[in-house]
């Protein structure tokens, strides 16, 4: 900031002394010309009759002849021209008048020049002050804009952070939604074996009662010590009544079924656990083919009717990544494929190593994606599904996960014919 | 007030002729110079002009010596009316004891009058003078010309301001002295209130006004 210096302030109209208007140097040539014309002493006196300029000398005995004429400033006598001679000179009066006029002209012109200079100076000062002011205002506004720009950066940072939080929350929600969807399928899958295990156990409990009864009969008859033939007859009869031959055969079947059911449930739970990867997000080695197989198995209940699954999964070297994220990505891609047709889906899943990359292709023979929508499929919240049935985050999340694992995703679609989604991932060292 | 030196018994006052460009401020001063006796006034000093337009200011001083020995000098100034010389107007207005606003009576110039008056108000406040306390006289000049706003209408417009409004033709020489007199009386009253001219310095209002306005005998 520039501090304005205090101005030299002129007040127009301020009274001026003669000495301010003319200087001795300006006056002396005029007075000297008087001396040349025979005048002994010439002087310009100021308001207080003190000489501003004085030339010549008076001889002893003083000057017998003198003329004193006023010099006016703004209409007021502000000084006088004093001429002294030893004797009355010819033309003394005329010389005096001439000199007075000359002095008066000098004084008036000097005064005019002073006044215009003063006005001019105050105008210059004022415009300088205005410039300083303008400059200060400009600097002020520049500073404001700079602050604004800085604030803007901060705001952008804030919003970006908020977006990140919201985005990760969405990601989480998406994951939860997928898990929920899977869980619903799983519940159904678990319910079936649970149902027949329950019913089998119920039957087995009845069988067990009959077997107990039979054993007790044997026990009692042996303790009574009857004839062997009689025991054989009595027990044989009872055994037939209780249909124990059938019961024993059927029990084995029932238990075998229960065991199978438990195994199915165990498999499903293992899949769920693998899918949800509830244990941490650190980088882990992942067998992609195994994960894909598990995913497909897990998603099987959601296959539309008459689905034909064609897999060509060649063994792949392990991928180091955040396993849950990548599994989620493939789940989302598969989910899209499953929803591409209401029935007669032909789903092809293949994996291959090409050069330094892994390539996984997932193709369907579904409706395909219209060309105008294709560029938008990775946009967050872009969905063509009815409100409530799709978040529009599936492919966004998928790409996010794949890109963060150093890979890429490419979607090729032919409307009416189907869509192929190709994921490439780097070979881990 | 430019200067008041009680010991030296000296009082220097300032009256400013303000108004839009070409409204006749300098003509008013020339007219005063012509119509008033040399006794009691100084010479009219016209500072540099371009094409007869004032660019700095004009000055006509008046003198009065009271019986108490108090010397009063009233300096009458004009300002340049052109918009571009605003800084000069402001400089001339400093420490004014009174203002005569010379307005142009032509119908086409009424907007310009209003602008100039607004400019006067603004500049007065910028040099620290309160317009309500400053003696202000309004003169509608050029009344001799055709196409002027009728007097009744001017009075109706300006009457509510409470300011003395006078009609004049500076070119023909009428209304100028009346305007000057009204302004001098206003200045005297204002200064009297501040300094007690009549009580402390035995300056009579009538004497003062009469001394300044001595009409040249034909």
């Amino acid at each position: 900031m520039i501090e304005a210096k205090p101005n030299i302030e002129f007040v127009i109209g301020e009274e001026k002394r003669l000495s301010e208007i003319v200087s001795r140097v300006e006056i002396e040539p005029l007075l000297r010309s008087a001396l040349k014309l025979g005048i002994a002493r010439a002087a310009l006196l100021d308001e207080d009759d003190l000489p501003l300029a004085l030339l010549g000398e008076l001889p002893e005995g003083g000057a017998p002849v003198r003329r004193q004429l006023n010099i006016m400033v703004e209409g007021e006598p502000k000084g006088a021209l004093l001429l002294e001679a030893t004797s009355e000179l010819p033309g003394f009066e005329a010389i005096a008048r001439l000199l007075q006029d000359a002095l008066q002209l000098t004084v008036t012109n000097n005064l005019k020049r002073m006044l215009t200079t003063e006005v001019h100076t105050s105008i210059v000062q004022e415009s300088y002050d205005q410039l300083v002011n303008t400059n200060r205002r400009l600097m002020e506004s520049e500073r404001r804009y700079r602050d604004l720009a800085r604030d803007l950066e901060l705001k952008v940072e804030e919003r970006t952070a908020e977006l990140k939080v919201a985005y990760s929350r969405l990601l989480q929600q998406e994951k939860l939604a997928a898990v929920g969807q899977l869980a619903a399928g799983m519940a159904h899958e678990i319910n079936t074996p649970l149902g027949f295990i329950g019913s089998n156990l119920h039957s087995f409990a009845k069988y067990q009662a009959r077997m107990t009864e039979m054993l007790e009969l044997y026990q009692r008859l042996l303790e009574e010590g009857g004839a062997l033939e009689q025991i054989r007859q009595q027990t044989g009869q009872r055994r037939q009544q209780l249909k124990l031959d059938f019961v024993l055969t059927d029990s084995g079947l029932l238990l075998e079924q229960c065991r199978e059911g438990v195994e199915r449930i165990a498999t499903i739970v293992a899949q769920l656990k693998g899918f949800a990867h509830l244990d941490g997000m650190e980088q882990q080695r992942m067998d992609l083919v195994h994960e894909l197989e598990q995913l497909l198995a897990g998603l099987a209940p959601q296959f539309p009717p008459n689905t034909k699954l064609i897999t060509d999964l060649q063994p792949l070297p392990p991928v180091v990544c955040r396993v849950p994220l990548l599994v989620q990505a493939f789940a989302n891609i598969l989910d899209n494929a499953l929803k591409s047709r209401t029935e007669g889906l032909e789903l092809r899943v293949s994996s291959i190593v090409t050069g330094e990359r892994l390539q996984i292709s997932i193709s369907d023979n579904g409706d395909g994606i219209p060309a105008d929508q294709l560029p938008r499929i990775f946009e967050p919240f872009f969905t063509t599904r009815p409100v409530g049935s799709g978040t529009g985050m599936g492919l966004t999340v998928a790409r996010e996960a794949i890109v963060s694992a150093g890979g890429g995703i490419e979607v090729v679609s032919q409307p009416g014919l189907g869509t192929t989604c190709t994921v490439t991932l780097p070979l881990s060292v | 007030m430019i200067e008041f030196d009680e010991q030296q018994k000296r009082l220097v006052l300032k009256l400013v002729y303000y108004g839009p460009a070409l409204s006749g401020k300098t003509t008013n001063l020339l007219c005063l110079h012509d119509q008033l006796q040399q006794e009691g006034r100084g010479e009219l000093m016209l500072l540099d002009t371009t094409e007869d337009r004032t660019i700095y200011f004009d000055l006509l001083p008046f003198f009065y010596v009271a019986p108490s020995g108090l010397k009063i000098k009233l300096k009458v100034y004009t300002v340049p009316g052109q918009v571009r010389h605003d800084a000069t107007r402001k400089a001339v207005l400093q420490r004014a004891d009174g203002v005569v606003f010379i307005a142009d009576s032509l119908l086409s110039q009424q907007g310009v009058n209003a602008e100039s008056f607004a400019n006067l108000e603004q500049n007065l406040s910028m040099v620290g003078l309160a317009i309500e306390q400053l003696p202000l006289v309004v003169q509608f000049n050029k009344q001799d010309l055709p196409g002027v706003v009728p007097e009744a209408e001017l009075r109706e417009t300006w009457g509510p301001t409470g300011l003395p409004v006078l009609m004049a033709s500076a070119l023909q020489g009428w209304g100028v002295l009346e305007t000057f007199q009204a302004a001098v009386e206003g200045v005297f009253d204002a200064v009297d209130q501040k300094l007690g001219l009549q009580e402390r310095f035995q300056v009579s209002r009538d004497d003062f006004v009469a001394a300044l306005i001595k009409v040249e005998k034909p």
Side-chain angles (χ1 to χ4, degrees), chain A residues 153-202:
Chain A
E153 260 167 50
L154 282 176
K155 285 256 157 59
V156 168
E157 269 169 36
E158 262 171 40
R159 292 281 180 280
T160 310
E162 279 171 22
L163 269 178
K164 262 187 196 157
V165 170
Y167 185 72
S168 67
R169 204 174 291 142
L170 265 177
L171 208 74
Q172 191 65 25
Q173 277 172 1
E174 177 72 8
K175 200 165 21 176
L176 286 175
V179 170
Q181 213 173 17
L182 195 74
M186 293 296 172
H188 174 74
E189 274 303 282
I190 291 170
N191 243 359
T192 312
L194 268 184
F196 68 74
I197 290 170
S199 133
N200 284 5
L201 287 175
H202 186 71

Side-chain angles (χ1 to χ4, degrees), chain B residues 46-158:
Chain B
L46 301 177
L47 291 195
D48 299 7
T49 58
T50 46
E51 293 166 352
D52 237 12
R53 312 282 297 269
T54 306
I55 55 172
Y56 291 103
F57 54 78
D58 309 317
L59 165 63
L60 182 58
F62 291 85
F63 308 100
Y64 172 77
V65 183
S68 62
L70 179 70
K71 282 176 273 183
I72 304 179
K73 183 173 179 183
L74 176 69
K75 292 182 164 189
V76 180
Y77 286 89
T78 61
V79 297
Q82 285 170 284
V83 176
R84 68 179 85 149
H85 295 308
D86 196 44
T88 311
R89 274 195 294 281
K90 212 179 300 169
V92 175
L93 262 189
Q94 275 185 327
R95 299 205 204 172
D97 296 284
V99 171
V100 177
F101 185 79
I102 306 293
D104 196 318
S105 299
L106 287 169
L107 182 59
S108 58
Q109 298 299 302
Q110 297 313 299
V112 182
N113 288 338
E115 266 172 44
S116 177
F117 198 85
N119 174 255
L120 169 64
E121 286 181 306
Q122 190 192 350
N123 280 343
L124 281 175
S125 84
M126 284 181 87
V127 299
L129 292 170
I131 193 164
E132 307 82 25
Q133 281 149 37
L134 195 73
L136 183 55
V137 175
V138 178
Q139 178 195 89
F140 274 91
N141 192 16
K142 305 191 189 175
Q143 282 289 316
D144 55 304
L145 294 182
V148 299
V149 181
E151 182 177 345
E153 207 174 297
L154 290 172
R155 290 200 180 281
E156 200 183 325
T157 313
W158 288 79

